[in-house]
Amino acid sequence: MLSYAGRVAQPKAQPIAVRVGGFGGVDGLVRHLREAQVTHVVDATHPFAARMSANAVAACAACGLPLLALTRPAWQAGPGDRWQTVPDLPAAVAALSGPPQRVMLALGRMHLSAFAAQPQHHYILRLVDLPEVRPPLPQHTVIVSRGPFDLEGDIALLRAQRVDVLVCKNAGGAGAEAKLHAARELELPIVMVARPPLAARQEVTRVAEVLLWLEAAHHAPTSRGAERGV
Ligand SMILES: NC(=O)c1ccc[n+]([C@@H]2O[C@H](COP(=O)([O-])OP(=O)(O)OC[C@H]3O[C@@H](n4cnc5c(N)ncnc54)[C@H](OP(=O)(O)O)[C@@H]3O)[C@@H](O)[C@H]2O)c1
């Protein structure tokens, strides 16, 4: 069972069953795990979904369920990159103090309002859906696209929009990496928001490792997975 928070209007079709919406905190998740007779939990949320990841750790501990996190290694700056790494979004907003620039926010729609504190800039917003409510940024351009993005496309976008600086979260992974290479190519600075700290949990970085974990559980004679199926 794949669980979506429900942030995207029309999520991609998936080859397994899907449910949508919050569980209602740790208590709600505990209830759901018990009612649905879940035997194994895989936390495959975005590295910035810190609340959900914390809830998964707490709920699995409460239910005595095994938890595995499927994560993407963080991006690392390489030669030619002009990154300013900041610890969180408020620090990213503060890093934009100064004269007006054309700023690309590749952050999703959830935290755009924080950038209203720096209204002098023209913001270029790349979003999965057209926002229902106009973002509270006096000057902005919305680009609707859900990726994956490629180097040529991102270079063309940064040029066409005359972007001076990018702000992005250190999501890791290949799907959103092109903008970093495009910025390097164009020698543009990036304000890179570091990942939030998460509770300790077992982590892997490849889907194949998750399947091996489930497979091992299925074959272990004493595991709950073997008793009830996964
Ligand atoms: N944060 C990002 O930058 C980002 C980027 C791309 C995709 N996403 C995805 O968007 C979703 C929401 O992200 P967020 O940063 O708002 O999360 P969050 O702050 O960690 O979670 C907020 C609340 O949203 C609900 N929720 C989150 N993920 C869920 C899931 N997979 N299934 C059911 N409920 C979920 C939970 O509600 P209840 O407490 O009611 O259970 C959770 O307490 C996540 O699934 C994440 O993977 C996030």
Side-chain angles (χ1 to χ4, degrees):
M1 172 72 70
L2 173 65
S3 175
Y4 279 132
R7 304 280 196 272
V8 173
Q10 285 183 327
K12 253 169 60 175
Q14 298 292 345
I16 58 171
V18 169
R19 64 163 299 285
V20 180
F23 298 98
V26 175
D27 292 347
L29 183 55
V30 165
R31 223 173 9 253
H32 173 86
L33 295 174
R34 290 194 173 132
E35 280 170 12
Q37 300 195 322
V38 171
T39 62
H40 292 76
V41 177
V42 179
D43 175 2
T45 53
H46 189 275
F48 281 73
R51 168 59 37 212
M52 190 66 235
S53 289
N55 289 358
V57 168
C60 286
C63 296
L65 287 180
L67 167 71
L68 186 67
L70 173 62
T71 65
R72 301 178 286 204
W75 292 319
Q76 306 291 335
D81 282 330
R82 297 174 57 201
W83 291 14
Q84 177 185 359
T85 297
V86 294
D88 50 26
L89 273 175
V93 174
L96 294 178
S97 64
Q101 299 192 87
R102 292 181 65 84
V103 181
M104 179 161 165
L105 298 183
L107 296 171
R109 72 187 154 96
M110 298 299 289
H111 305 286
L112 297 178
S113 56
F115 291 85
Q118 305 280 4
Q120 71 275 32
H121 303 303
H122 185 106
Y123 291 99
I124 292 105
L125 315 173
R126 179 152 73 184
L127 302 171
V128 174
D129 294 310
L130 206 56
E132 283 166 13
V133 183
R134 190 185 146 83
L137 304 169
Q139 316 163 66
H140 69 264
T141 302
V142 173
I143 294 161
V144 176
S145 180
R146 71 169 63 195
F149 306 106
D150 62 28
L151 179 61
E152 263 178 31
D154 277 4
I155 288 180
L157 174 71
L158 294 176
R159 282 205 174 117
Q161 293 295 333
R162 293 173 286 116
V163 170
D164 298 307
V165 56
L166 279 83
V167 182
C168 55
K169 296 174 178 172
N170 196 332
E177 199 180 22
K179 60 180 178 276
L180 310 182
H181 299 308
R184 181 187 301 160
E185 200 80 15
L186 300 177
E187 299 180 11
L188 293 179
I190 295 181
V191 176
M192 181 65 77
V193 183
R195 295 175 170 201
L198 299 175
R201 68 247 164 106
Q202 188 186 347
E203 290 187 5
V204 295
T205 56
R206 294 182 305 124
V207 173
E209 293 172 276
V210 177
L211 296 175
L212 282 175
W213 181 72
L214 293 174
E215 181 92 347
H218 192 67
H219 290 302
T222 54
S223 80
R224 298 172 71 187
E227 289 157 23
R228 303 201 301 209
V230 172

